[in-house]
Amino acid sequence: MNAQATLAPSPLRRSDRDAIATLTLDRPQARNALSEGLIAALTAELDAIAEDRSVKAVILAANGPVFSAGHDLKEMTARRADPDRGRAYFADVLGRCSAMMTRIVRLPQPVIAAVEGVATAAGCQLVASCDLAVAGAEARFSTPGVHIGLFCSTPMVALSRNVAPKHAMEMLLLGEMVSAEDAARMGLVNRAVPAGAALDEARRMAEIVASKSTHTVRIGKRAFYEQREMNLDGAYAHASRVMVDNMLARDAEEGIGAFVEKRQPVWVGA
């Protein structure tokens, strides 16, 4: 590795405080586009957090006026000179990005997006992949691939699992910007807050999550995404099995006992 590569700034910053890990996209000069390096950095941090029992919640934020402009199209376009016109490279990058998005969904800890500025294409997908999301009043969202002949097919997966079909198709077919207020109305984000306040609100929500039983939150998040892909009967059967196991957990015994005895529970994470 040469000296220039060694000194290259990381595209992602992590800070931990009070059992909350904050991951900040840090490529403001490139509109926080999801380059190979940023996808790899996010994947590595998510893998580390998944094994870190001290982390109870994650906040995903961004440095600069743009949350994320999606894939790094300059990086991708450069590979059109490959013998296969970039087919293998495109498949590899999209596969790694999809795996990273899936990693967020399957992470044991809840992930909260704090969005200020614009989140487009795979940047919008990143927001939709998080469990919760807060948008500053000036935040905007879109899946504008249709404007340049590249339908936002992978962002569509996360988007269509967050908003109603008509809203998803409107964003995908028209490619227009959606305001923070409309994004909250559609269900893409949980709430819109004053400009500049998204990170504070995300932290407030993360602190509430972190105060709960880690064991309960983890099994609840996993069960939510598992049952969502099942039919009604299968979902109820699965949720019942999860709830029986949950009832037998030490934290459920403690929590119910504390409720009956009118005291604060002491979680053990099991």
Side-chain angles (χ1 to χ4, degrees), residues 31-256:
R31 297 168 61 85
N32 290 315
L34 299 178
S35 63
E36 289 184 75
L38 184 49
I39 292 171
L42 273 167
T43 300
E45 286 296 350
L46 292 169
D47 285 346
I49 288 170
E51 301 301 322
D52 190 343
R53 303 289 294 185
S54 70
V55 176
K56 297 184 178 181
V58 179
I59 296 173
L60 186 62
N63 180 25
V66 176
F67 181 81
S68 176
H71 285 289
D72 191 324
L73 295 181
K74 290 183 179 179
E75 188 177 74
M76 297 181 76
T77 298
R79 300 301 292 266
R80 287 193 182 277
D82 291 356
D84 64 353
R85 299 179 58 236
R87 176 182 289 274
Y89 175 77
F90 299 155
D92 178 61
V93 168
L94 290 171
R96 282 187 280 134
C97 186
S98 296
M100 182 268 291
M101 300 288 181
T102 303
R103 192 72 180 101
I104 292 173
V105 175
R106 293 178 180 165
L107 197 74
Q109 302 92 332
V111 181
I112 306 171
V115 187
E116 302 281 359
V118 175
T120 61
C124 184
Q125 178 186 4
L126 189 59
V127 176
S129 296
C130 293
D131 305 296
L132 302 171
V134 181
E138 296 179 3
R140 297 291 183 272
F141 305 85
S142 73
T143 47
V146 67
H147 296 323
I148 59 171
L150 182 66
F151 200 81
C152 284
S153 298
T154 45
M156 172 182 68
V157 176
L159 182 66
S160 65
R161 282 164 168 73
N162 277 250
V163 306
K166 290 290 192 298
H167 287 144
M169 286 300 286
E170 179 179 348
M171 290 184 67
L172 292 162
L173 292 173
L174 275 60
E176 295 179 334
M177 285 288 186
V178 172
S179 69
E181 183 178 349
D182 282 343
R185 176 179 57 83
M186 293 162 57
L188 179 57
V189 302
N190 293 85
R191 62 200 60 171
V193 297
L199 185 56
D200 286 343
E201 177 62 11
R203 181 156 193 90
R204 186 190 72 82
M205 297 169 76
E207 288 172 349
I208 293 173
V209 170
S211 72
K212 312 302 181 186
S213 159
T214 302
H215 178 71
T216 302
V217 169
R218 290 183 178 217
I219 64 173
K221 173 177 173 175
R222 183 175 66 245
F224 175 83
Y225 291 110
E226 288 173 341
Q227 65 81 28
R228 192 175 60 166
E229 304 303 320
M230 301 175 182
N231 62 32
L232 185 63
D233 291 340
Y236 268 118
H238 179 66
S240 294
R241 289 192 295 270
V242 171
M243 202 158 187
V244 168
D245 289 341
N246 193 174
M247 278 291 291
L248 296 173
R250 291 171 62 190
D251 273 0
E253 184 177 3
E254 165 63 13
I256 294 170

